[in-house]
Amino acid sequence: MHRLLLLGCLWLLAAPPASSIFQRPTGTPAPLRLQYLLEPLHPTVHTQRGATATLPCVLRALPHNYRVKWSKVEPANYRENIIIITNGLYHKNYGPLSPRVRLRHSHRYDASLTITDVALEDEGRYRCQLVNGLEDESISLTLHLEGVVFPYQPSNGRYKFNYHEAKRACEQQDSRLATYQQLYKAWTEGLDWCNAGWILDGTVHYPIINSREPCGGRLLLPGVRTYGARDKQKDRFDAFCFTSALQGQVYFIRGHLNFKEAGQACRNHGAAIAKVGQLYSAWKFSQLDRCDGGWLADGSVRYPITTPRERCGGLPDPGVRSFGFPSKEMRTYGTYCFVGK
C-alpha cells in the first residue's frame, strides 16, 4: 500500500502542469496575432443592390514599405481576384470591379474598400491583406446582399440545364445563381422545393420544409438536401437564382393579351416586359400584391401574393405563383412591366 502511494506521488511530481497537458501538438503553429491590422468589429457588411457599401480595414500602425492588397474570393473557381493595391500614397485598381471601387481613406490609417452601385455579383468574401515582407497578415470580410432566392426551370420542363446554362438563365432573368448560404437562408425562411437545382459553386441541392414521399421520403428530416458537386457539362438540373432590390418599378397592365401584345403594351408605356427576377424583387422589397396572372419576359405567366387569400390560389403562404408557360397566342392574361429609375 505504501509503495503504491509513493509511486503515485512520484508520478505527480513528474507530470507536467495541467495547463501544458492540453498544449498544441509540437510543430503546430500558433495562430498569428494581428500586429498592424485591427480585427473588424462586424465581419459581415449588409447591403442591397444599387447601394454603396464599405468594407472596413484599418491599420493600428504604419510599417515601413508596406502595401495593402484587397481581393475577392470567387466560390465558382476558388480563386482570389485582386481588386486594388495601395502603398498609402498611390493605388491601382484591377479587374471588373475597377470602375466602382475606391479606398475610403478617411484618415492615414484607413484602407477600407468602398464599392459603389453594388451589383449582384459583388456578394461574397473579401480579403484585406497587409503585405510587409515576412510579417504579412490579413482579415476576411463578407459582403451580404439582402435578397430573395427562387427556383427556375425553362419552358421545356424540369432538369434541362447544365451548370453553364443555369448560370446564363439566371442572368437573363435579372438574377444570378444563388450561393449555398443564400439557399440555406431561403430554406430557413420557408423555401420548400422538390426539384434539385444548381447553385454558384457547381453543387446541386434542394430545400425541403415538409418531408414527403416524392421528395426523398417522409423519414428524411427537413433540410437543404444535397447531390454534391456534379459534372458542369453533362449533368442537368434546374437552377436556384438570387436577386436583390430593384433600381426601378414593376407594375401591372390589365388586359387580355397574348405574349407579343404584352410586350408591346409595356413598350407603349416606355417600359419593358418584366423579368422573373424583377417580379420576385418587387414582391420581396415593394410588397407587390396582385391576384392577376401576367406575362413575363421568358414567356411564363406569374403573379405575386404578399397577403394570401382564398381567391388568389388558396395557398397559405406568400409567394410568387406560376401558371407555367402557356401558349404565347393565348389572350387570357395581362402583363407585368418594368421601368428603370
Side-chain angles (χ1 to χ4, degrees):
M1 180 70 178
H2 292 292
R3 186 177 179 184
L4 289 173
L5 289 172
L6 178 60
L7 289 171
C9 293
L10 290 172
W11 181 87
L12 287 172
L13 289 172
S19 61
S20 67
I21 293 175
F22 302 102
Q23 283 182 352
R24 193 174 289 102
T26 304
T28 303
L32 294 175
R33 292 187 61 191
L34 293 175
Q35 180 179 356
Y36 293 104
L37 296 176
L38 289 174
E39 196 72 47
L41 188 60
H42 300 291
T44 299
V45 175
H46 296 266
T47 189
Q48 292 182 352
R49 177 167 54 176
T52 296
T54 297
L55 299 167
C57 184
V58 178
L59 285 70
R60 69 175 84 239
L62 300 177
H64 293 292
N65 301 319
Y66 77 95
R67 290 178 297 152
V68 171
K69 178 175 73 174
W70 275 101
S71 57
K72 185 174 187 288
V73 181
E74 298 296 346
N77 52 25
Y78 305 103
R79 294 176 56 187
E80 284 198 20
N81 294 328
I82 297 174
I83 299 169
I84 195 168
I85 296 178
T86 180
N87 63 2
L89 295 175
Y90 307 100
H91 69 272
K92 185 174 181 179
N93 293 18
Y94 297 85
L97 266 174
S98 181
R100 296 188 290 112
V101 295
R102 57 181 171 81
L103 294 169
R104 182 174 64 180
H105 207 63
S106 58
H107 52 78
R108 61 195 295 244
Y109 300 101
D110 185 14
S112 302
L113 183 74
T114 295
I115 305 173
T116 60
D117 194 20
V118 170
L120 293 176
E121 59 270 21
D122 296 343
E123 169 145 324
R125 188 159 63 89
Y126 291 76
R127 191 157 78 110
C128 177
Q129 181 182 14
L130 176 74
V131 182
N132 183 35
L134 298 177
E135 298 180 337
D136 294 359
E137 56 190 60
S138 66
I139 57 171
S140 291
L141 301 109
T142 299
L143 185 66
H144 172 77
L145 270 69
E146 300 295 336
V148 58
V149 171
F150 60 94
Y152 189 74
Q153 58 184 219
S155 59
N156 57 341
R158 69 197 288 261
Y159 294 175
K160 301 296 183 182
F161 294 135
N162 67 24
Y163 172 81
H164 306 287
E165 292 164 344
K167 184 173 182 289
R168 187 161 56 249
C170 288
E171 290 167 355
Q172 288 170 348
Q173 296 308 314
D174 193 52
S175 59
R176 71 184 298 232
L177 279 174
T179 64
Y180 181 81
Q181 291 77 11
Q182 290 165 344
L183 182 62
Y184 184 87
K185 183 174 183 290
W187 169 71
T188 66
E189 294 172 348
L191 182 60
D192 183 278
W193 196 253
C194 206
N195 293 346
W198 294 102
I199 63 171
L200 186 61
D201 64 2
T203 57
V204 175
H205 309 266
Y206 64 104
I208 295 296
I209 298 289
N210 302 306
S211 298
R212 51 202 186 272
E213 286 305 327
C215 304
R218 297 181 184 277
L219 298 181
L220 285 180
L221 294 174
V224 178
R225 298 173 184 168
T226 180
Y227 287 6
R230 310 299 289 190
D231 189 306
K232 291 182 178 181
Q233 292 287 353
K234 297 178 181 177
D235 290 326
R236 295 188 173 271
F237 298 94
D238 291 346
F240 286 105
C241 305
F242 171 84
T243 192
S244 186
L246 283 174
Q247 298 299 292
Q249 179 188 7
V250 172
Y251 62 92
F252 182 73
I253 294 179
R254 190 183 300 275
H256 298 283
L257 309 169
N258 63 30
F259 177 71
K260 185 176 180 180
E261 292 166 344
Q264 187 59 53
C266 291
R267 289 191 292 273
N268 291 344
H269 286 76
I273 189 167
K275 299 177 179 180
V276 177
Q278 292 167 341
L279 186 66
Y280 270 93
S281 179
W283 166 73
K284 174 75 172 181
F285 292 99
S286 303
Q287 288 72 55
L288 184 62
D289 184 293
R290 286 205 69 101
C291 220
D292 306 281
W295 292 102
L296 296 176
D298 66 341
S300 65
V301 173
R302 306 173 195 250
Y303 62 102
I305 296 295
T306 56
T307 305
R309 45 208 185 270
E310 190 64 33
R311 295 188 177 183
C312 292
L315 296 176
D317 301 315
V320 174
R321 320 278 196 239
S322 175
F323 287 123
F325 295 84
S327 168
K328 291 184 176 181
E329 301 304 317
M330 187 178 292
R331 285 191 171 92
T332 306
Y333 308 105
T335 184
Y336 287 96
C337 304
F338 170 75
V339 61
K341 288 184 178 177

